[in-house]
Structures are given as structure tokens and as C-alpha cells.
Amino acid sequence: MRKKIISAVVVLAIIVLLALPKLKLWSSEKELPQRDAQAQSKGPSALRVEGVVVRPSKLDNVVVVTGSVQANESLELKSETSGKITNIYFVEGKAVRKGDLLVQVNDEEIRAELIKQKFNRKLNQDIEFRQRKLLEKDAISQEEYDNALNKLNTTKADITVLEAQLEKTKIRAPFDGVIGLRYVSEGALISTSTPIANLYSISPAKIEFAIPGRYSTQVKSGLPIKFTVESDTSTFNGEVYAIEPQIDANTRTLKLRALAENTKGLLLPGQFAKVELILGSSNNALLVPTEAVIPELNGHKVYVSSNGKVKTEIVQIGIRSNTQIEIISGINPMDTVITTGILQMRPGLSVEFSKLN
């Protein structure tokens, strides 16, 4: 029994000795320096980040403000004379042409007086003719002829006055447009202050808006705008045609007006408009995502990857949008700007890009 135990221990010891080299529990002195060199050559693992390759692109310098749609021309129709309305010739909500007769006020008395004065004119013309012939023969004095001529001219002047008064009884459209709702009916007695209806010219439409006063030196007539209205998802285009020559002292804003085509009648006076005023455009702007730019006490900086290593670049920024910032100086086209892992960045850090735009 004792011999068997000794034999088992010997066999077990041999097996352990044979297995030790495979377990690599020790290494030779030559192997240790080789392993250390391999570990140093690999170094620390690179940080995985995302980035963007900066390429020149088009950039519009846009100011976004709110405004309102206005009619190109609008007025409240009123009569130039008091009286009773005898006829209404327009239909509410319909288009009218310049010069169309819209409303007729009673003109019977003026017409009767006009007929009377026209008879007087014929009589005075005959008298003036006879007096002129007699004057040529020295049969009457110059004074007598002058009296006859004056009476004729006075009659003609009275007729002109009556014709003007007659025209005031007719209310005509002063421009092409659309009539709104009327406030009177035929037979109503009106005065010069009685509103009859509103007339609107809505093609083209005016867009009125105000921009911060700091942009006053950059605006001029002819600048393009884009805008949307709350009742339509379409984007409309317009052009600035007028600029208020002063900055509002209360709001420190500058008021502008633009014209926009409205042949389809989609723009109505009073609509709310969201306006984008394009102050200028650049075709070679360098843009980076806003999250890549880090504000500092004395400016801004970005992290750039060069040969897999992080570099810090001090930059000067320009126009800012919701998602991008223009870089005026500090980086060059085709530089790779890091956009993620910003808090972990430091110069010299190794990075590897998981996504590069």
C-alpha cells in the first residue's frame, strides 16, 4: 500500500512539471524585454470620436424676424358730397377696375341747374356774338362788349362748377382692386364721413417688418426676402423697396417694406409673416457644427485632428445659424474638426473617427 502511494505522488509530480511551461508562469530573461517593447509600441488606445471635414460652402447672412402682410393700396370709400344713395353698382368681395362707377348719390338738383346754365350759355353766346359784330362797326362801346363777354364767361364757369359737383355724386374706383363688405344700402342718407366699403389692391402685396438697428448699415433697397404665412406652408419671395429713414427710439428697430407677387391671392392683409431677410451671400464660407466651437474668455476655439492627434485652434467666428457657425479665421479648408467628446479633448490625444462627415 505504501509503495502505491509513493508511485502516485511521483506520477503527479511528473505531470505538474510537464504542464508548467505551457502555463507560462515564468519567462526567461530574454522574453521579458521583448514583451515590454511590444506593450510600449501599442500605447494607450485611441479615443473614438466623430468629426467633420471643413469644405467651402454657400452661406446666406440671414436675419429672421416677424412681420405682417399689407395691401399694396387700400382705402375706405366715402362720398365727397352728402345725399341719398340712388344706386350701388359693385358686388361685395368682387374685383373692380380703376374708374368703375361704384356708388351713385342723388344728383337731380345739380343736373337741373346744369341744364339751366347750359341754356344761359347759349343765350350769352348769341349776345356776345352780336355785341362783337356791333363793336367791329363802332356801333357800341368797348365796355358794353366786355359786359356781354364777361356774362358768357361767368356762365361757362358756373357750368364747370356744376359738372364738378355732378362728378362728386359718383364714387368711382381709384385703382384696380377688390371691394370688401359694404356698410350702406340703396336709399341710405350719407354724409362725407359715412364709410361705404373698403377697397384693397392685394397684388402685389406689401410685407412690413422691422430689424434690429445694428443692421441699418447693411440694408438697402433690392435685398431679397423669403417669408411664410400662418395659413400656408409655401415659401414666398419678395424684395425690399422702402426703408424707414430713422430707427425707432423705443424699440431700436428699423422698419422695412417689401413687395411680393400675389397673383393667386394667397396673401391677405393682416396675415402674420415670418420673414428671412438675406443681407448677403458667400460661396466660400467655412462652416462647422455649433457644438464644435468652444467659447473662451478671450474668444473661441475648436479641436482639429492632425495625423490622428488632437490640436487646439483659436478661431474667429462669423455668422451663426441654428446648427452651424461660420469660421472666419483659424482653420483651413479640408481640416478635420472634432465634434464629439469635447470634454475629453486635450492636445496630443490620439483619436479615431467612428463617423466623419
Side-chain angles (χ1 to χ4, degrees):
M1 185 68 181
R2 185 175 178 182
K3 290 181 178 181
K4 290 181 179 181
I5 293 173
I6 294 173
S7 299
V9 171
V10 171
V11 171
L12 182 60
I14 294 172
I15 292 173
V16 171
L17 290 174
L18 293 174
L20 285 177
K22 294 182 179 181
L23 293 177
K24 298 182 179 180
L25 294 179
W26 65 83
S27 300
S28 65
E29 293 181 358
K30 293 182 179 180
E31 290 176 341
L32 289 176
Q34 184 178 0
R35 290 182 182 178
D36 292 341
Q38 291 176 351
Q40 289 176 2
S41 65
K42 290 183 179 180
S45 60
L47 179 65
R48 296 184 65 80
V49 295
E50 295 180 5
V52 59
V53 178
V54 181
R55 297 180 177 88
S57 59
K58 183 178 180 180
L59 173 65
D60 291 330
N61 185 6
V62 177
V63 178
V64 180
V65 294
T66 58
S68 62
V69 179
Q70 295 185 349
N72 184 36
E73 303 289 349
S74 65
L75 58 82
E76 191 175 52
L77 292 173
K78 293 182 180 180
S79 175
E80 291 187 81
T81 184
S82 300
K84 181 177 71 174
I85 295 178
T86 56
N87 293 98
I88 294 177
Y89 297 101
F90 67 84
V91 178
E92 296 170 286
K94 298 297 183 180
V96 296
R97 304 290 294 179
K98 181 179 180 179
D100 287 352
L101 181 60
L102 304 178
V103 178
Q104 177 65 60
V105 179
N106 187 6
D107 60 357
E108 291 181 358
E109 291 185 9
I110 299 175
R111 286 186 177 278
E113 184 65 26
L114 184 59
I115 293 172
K116 175 183 174 181
Q117 291 300 330
K118 285 182 178 181
F119 283 128
N120 287 335
R121 180 180 62 184
K122 181 63 174 67
L123 175 61
N124 291 329
Q125 283 176 339
D126 293 340
I127 294 173
E128 186 272 336
F129 177 77
R130 290 193 297 268
Q131 294 292 76
R132 178 157 36 89
K133 292 300 181 181
L134 291 172
L135 179 64
E136 291 174 356
K137 298 177 181 180
D138 292 331
I140 61 172
S141 65
Q142 183 67 43
E143 182 180 359
E144 289 177 300
Y145 173 74
D146 290 343
N147 288 334
L149 181 60
N150 181 65
K151 186 176 291 186
L152 173 61
N153 290 335
T154 301
T155 303
K156 289 181 178 179
D158 290 340
I159 291 174
T160 302
V161 171
L162 289 171
E163 287 175 342
Q165 292 177 349
L166 186 65
E167 188 60 31
K168 288 182 179 181
T169 64
K170 297 176 174 62
I171 302 175
R172 300 182 182 275
F175 50 79
D176 296 350
V178 178
I179 288 283
L181 305 179
R182 60 183 172 89
Y183 309 123
V184 294
S185 301
E186 290 186 3
L189 290 172
I190 61 172
S191 66
T192 56
S193 62
T194 304
I196 297 172
N198 291 318
L199 176 62
Y200 303 94
S201 172
I202 59 175
S203 182
K206 290 179 180 177
I207 312 300
E208 184 173 294
F209 57 97
I211 63 172
R214 64 178 179 271
Y215 296 111
S216 60
T217 58
Q218 301 179 50
V219 295
K220 60 182 179 180
S221 296
L223 287 178
I225 67 166
K226 295 180 181 180
F227 65 97
T228 57
V229 294
E230 53 191 348
S231 61
D232 198 298
T233 57
S234 304
T235 299
F236 301 89
N237 297 306
E239 185 177 287
V240 174
Y241 78 94
I243 303 171
E244 187 77 29
Q246 71 168 3
I247 294 176
D248 189 291
N250 296 320
T251 62
R252 300 300 175 187
T253 58
L254 182 66
K255 190 177 294 185
L256 293 84
R257 281 184 181 173
L259 286 177
E261 287 299 325
N262 190 28
T263 53
K264 296 182 180 180
L266 299 177
L267 303 175
L268 298 177
Q271 283 179 318
F272 173 85
K274 183 178 180 181
V275 182
E276 295 183 1
L277 174 64
I278 303 173
L279 296 176
S281 297
S282 172
N283 293 321
N284 297 300
L286 300 180
L287 303 176
V288 299
T290 54
E291 62 269 20
V293 180
I294 306 163
E296 290 190 320
L297 183 61
N298 297 321
H300 298 80
K301 69 178 181 180
V302 296
Y303 290 114
V304 176
S305 173
S306 177
N307 298 321
K309 300 293 184 179
V310 176
K311 291 173 57 181
T312 302
E313 299 290 353
I314 304 300
V315 296
Q316 180 182 357
I317 66 172
I319 300 170
R320 181 190 297 265
S321 67
N322 292 334
T323 59
Q324 293 182 311
I325 296 178
E326 178 191 17
I327 303 299
I328 298 176
S329 63
I331 60 174
N332 299 310
M334 304 311 295
D335 281 351
T336 303
V337 175
I338 299 170
T339 59
T340 62
I342 301 298
L343 295 178
Q344 299 170 273
M345 291 299 109
R346 64 180 183 274
L349 180 68
S350 298
V351 292
E352 180 180 330
F353 290 97
S354 60
K355 182 179 180 182
L356 190 61
N357 296 324

